[in-house]
Amino acid sequence: MKYKQMTRQEAVKRCYELTPQLREYDEFMYLSVRWLPYTMFFHQKNYRSAVINTDEMGFRMSKSFSGWVSPANFPTDELVNIVIGGSTAMGTGATSDAYTISSILSKLTGEIWLNFGGSGYNCVQEAILFMLNQHRFKKIKNIIILSGLSTLTFEGLSDDFTTEYGKYYYSYELVHYMNKYNEDLAYRINFNPPCNNSAVKKFIPKLAERLNNWLDDLAQNPMEKVFTDTYVDIKKRLNRAVKMTVESAVQIKQLAKKHDAKVYYILQPLSRWSKERFHKDEEEMFYTMNACANKFWQLFDHLCALDLHKKYSSQLEAGCQKDNIPYYDMNFLMRLSPKLHDNIYVDHLHFNNLGYGEMGRLIYEKILN
């Protein structure tokens, strides 16, 4: 089907018409960022809406047999299960907290499942978040790591953002604003108050330069910077993502030992890795998303290739097997769903209620049982 060409503003409007709840997720993530040590950022605390609700630490609420629970609020005498990951684990695209993977598994198992999903997190941040909070639990039964694609996506950023610890959602912003801090430090060190005509002559050009830099910053919005993965070596990108992802899963497993918890790794689904034919509403949504892509989606150019999926999944599986972590690829499991060719994706990574319901059911039937 041919779609009309849209401006970015028109595309955003159409996205919200097709999937109204996405407006809530955009506001939740982008109206303000809560900066934190170690993980860099996390969700807003005590956020309240019809779609998303968080506890006093920023974790999304889950529906369970004992009511609404979260890592900050749960019956301490009950064993718990945990879903770790990024925005898919958090439940982006669901119309309420009741349709996330943790809530669905709570309903299917009759046990408490807590949502440890962190929107925009890579695998290292996911592991750190668990490390910082695992002391809260007396007994953990199961830990599901539903992840893999955010890390692979972020590794598509320019090599200018390569660090010893990988790339991450705010790679550009951290460098951009911290360099401003360094410039300010240098300015203060080199600045001497003018006390004579010669000093004034030297001072005025420096002041003019800082003013021009400030005006340039006002004209450039870092959030609108265009990213692309066109020139990133796909093999190196994949190898870096595999290494980081497996190492993070091993760290979570080691932390889980004292709880005697079972750890499973599940590669999260990607639209074109899991299905060949799409519902007309999905196709329109994909087209519309491409017309208003943020920096995350701009890094997707090379990720939809089926041969990349096979390489990535097989290498993740080999790494997990080496450390005795059960590995599952949800892209293959989703093909078992009778709902596969219904409208289940709200974008290339996230599901609607029907999609999350099917993924939760498959985890319960094919992995936990």
Side-chain angles (χ1 to χ4, degrees), residues 28-78:
F28 177 65
M29 274 295 289
Y30 302 121
L31 285 186
S32 64
V33 178
R34 188 162 71 96
W35 303 109
L36 290 176
Y38 312 118
T39 61
M40 183 184 276
F41 65 96
F42 197 46
H43 312 138
Q44 297 300 313
K45 299 188 293 184
N46 298 313
Y47 189 91
R48 294 291 179 265
S49 76
V51 176
I52 309 166
N53 296 274
T54 63
D55 65 16
E56 56 264 40
M57 297 176 65
F59 290 98
R60 191 172 189 176
M61 307 296 290
S62 298
K63 190 175 184 179
S64 76
F65 65 86
S66 64
W68 293 101
V69 295
S70 73
N73 297 288
F74 64 94
T76 55
D77 56 336
E78 295 280 351

Side-chain angles (χ1 to χ4, degrees), residues 251-311:
Q251 290 297 321
I252 290 172
K253 182 185 177 183
Q254 291 175 344
L255 290 168
K257 278 184 179 178
K258 74 171 188 177
H259 299 280
D260 198 28
K262 185 74 173 176
V263 178
Y264 304 88
Y265 190 92
I266 304 175
L267 175 60
Q268 68 191 99
L270 175 67
S271 61
R272 303 197 188 279
W273 288 0
S274 62
K275 56 193 288 188
E276 298 175 355
R277 193 163 41 85
F278 293 91
H279 190 278
K280 61 180 180 62
D281 292 343
E282 291 174 325
E283 289 284 18
E284 183 178 2
M285 192 64 181
F286 296 158
Y287 174 82
T288 307
M289 291 288 291
N290 288 340
C292 60
N294 62 20
K295 66 182 180 185
F296 184 83
W297 300 116
Q298 290 162 4
L299 299 172
F300 257 70
D301 280 357
H302 292 132
L303 293 194
C304 291
L306 293 179
D307 61 332
L308 177 64
H309 169 221
K310 292 175 183 176
K311 292 175 185 176

Side-chain angles (χ1 to χ4, degrees), residues 148-165:
L149 285 175
S150 290
T151 302
L152 182 60
T153 302
F154 298 143
E155 286 302 319
L157 285 166
S158 165
D159 288 338
D160 294 340
F161 302 110
T162 299
T163 72
E164 304 92 308
Y165 307 112

Side-chain angles (χ1 to χ4, degrees), residues 3-4 22 24 61 70 75 115 191 249 282 286 320 329 358:
Y3 302 101
K4 73 168 188 175
L22 287 187
E24 187 70 47
M61 307 296 290
S70 73
N115 192 331
F191 171 69
E282 291 174 325
F286 296 158
C320 286
D329 188 332
E358 281 299 285

Side-chain angles (χ1 to χ4, degrees), residues 42-323:
F42 197 46
H43 312 138
Q44 297 300 313
K45 299 188 293 184
N46 298 313
Y47 189 91
R48 294 291 179 265
S49 76
V51 176
I52 309 166
N53 296 274
T54 63
D55 65 16
E56 56 264 40
M57 297 176 65
F59 290 98
R60 191 172 189 176
M61 307 296 290
S62 298
K63 190 175 184 179
S64 76
F65 65 86
S66 64
W68 293 101
V69 295
S70 73
N73 297 288
F74 64 94
T76 55
D77 56 336
E78 295 280 351
L79 64 79
V80 300
N81 303 271
I82 293 174
V83 179
I84 294 174
S87 53
T88 299
M90 193 275 285
T92 295
T95 59
S96 82
D97 304 324
Y99 293 99
T100 63
I101 293 298
S102 54
S103 291
I104 292 162
L105 290 175
S106 291
K107 181 179 180 180
L108 292 172
T109 63
E111 299 171 346
I112 291 175
W113 284 80
L114 302 177
N115 192 331
F116 261 69
S119 283
Y121 273 16
N122 68 10
C123 60
V124 177
Q125 290 166 310
E126 294 163 7
I128 291 173
L129 187 67
F130 178 67
M131 179 192 72
L132 293 174
N133 290 281
Q134 49 90 24
H135 67 279
R136 300 176 179 277
F137 312 113
K138 293 180 181 178
K139 173 65 177 175
I140 303 174
K141 182 179 179 182
N142 295 298
I143 297 174
I144 285 177
I145 308 171
L146 179 64
S147 187
L149 285 175
S150 290
T151 302
L152 182 60
T153 302
F154 298 143
E155 286 302 319
L157 285 166
S158 165
D159 288 338
D160 294 340
F161 302 110
T162 299
T163 72
E164 304 92 308
Y165 307 112
K167 302 171 187 177
Y168 39 88
Y169 191 84
Y170 288 110
S171 288
Y172 172 75
E173 286 81 0
L174 180 70
V175 173
H176 178 81
Y177 289 111
M178 289 300 97
N179 281 344
K180 296 299 177 187
Y181 176 76
N182 287 341
E183 290 171 9
D184 188 58
L185 279 181
Y187 173 76
R188 281 184 278 169
I189 291 171
N190 295 324
F191 171 69
N192 291 310
C195 56
N196 54 49
N197 288 339
S198 176
V200 169
K201 289 178 181 178
K202 293 178 181 178
F203 170 71
I204 289 177
K206 289 183 179 180
L207 184 62
E209 180 182 359
R210 284 179 62 83
L211 179 60
N212 286 332
N213 289 341
W214 178 71
L215 291 172
D216 287 343
D217 286 345
L218 287 180
Q220 297 175 3
N221 182 357
M223 292 299 291
E224 295 177 354
K225 183 173 176 62
V226 175
F227 294 90
T228 175
D229 62 356
T230 303
Y231 302 107
V232 176
D233 186 295
I234 193 67
K235 184 177 179 180
K236 291 180 180 178
R237 176 181 185 178
L238 185 146
N239 290 340
R240 287 194 302 262
V242 168
K243 183 176 184 293
M244 289 175 58
T245 299
V246 173
E247 288 175 350
S248 297
V250 170
Q251 290 297 321
I252 290 172
K253 182 185 177 183
Q254 291 175 344
L255 290 168
K257 278 184 179 178
K258 74 171 188 177
H259 299 280
D260 198 28
K262 185 74 173 176
V263 178
Y264 304 88
Y265 190 92
I266 304 175
L267 175 60
Q268 68 191 99
L270 175 67
S271 61
R272 303 197 188 279
W273 288 0
S274 62
K275 56 193 288 188
E276 298 175 355
R277 193 163 41 85
F278 293 91
H279 190 278
K280 61 180 180 62
D281 292 343
E282 291 174 325
E283 289 284 18
E284 183 178 2
M285 192 64 181
F286 296 158
Y287 174 82
T288 307
M289 291 288 291
N290 288 340
C292 60
N294 62 20
K295 66 182 180 185
F296 184 83
W297 300 116
Q298 290 162 4
L299 299 172
F300 257 70
D301 280 357
H302 292 132
L303 293 194
C304 291
L306 293 179
D307 61 332
L308 177 64
H309 169 221
K310 292 175 183 176
K311 292 175 185 176
Y312 190 47
S313 184
S314 62
Q315 289 186 35
L316 285 178
E317 183 175 19
C320 286
Q321 286 180 346
K322 183 179 177 182
D323 285 281

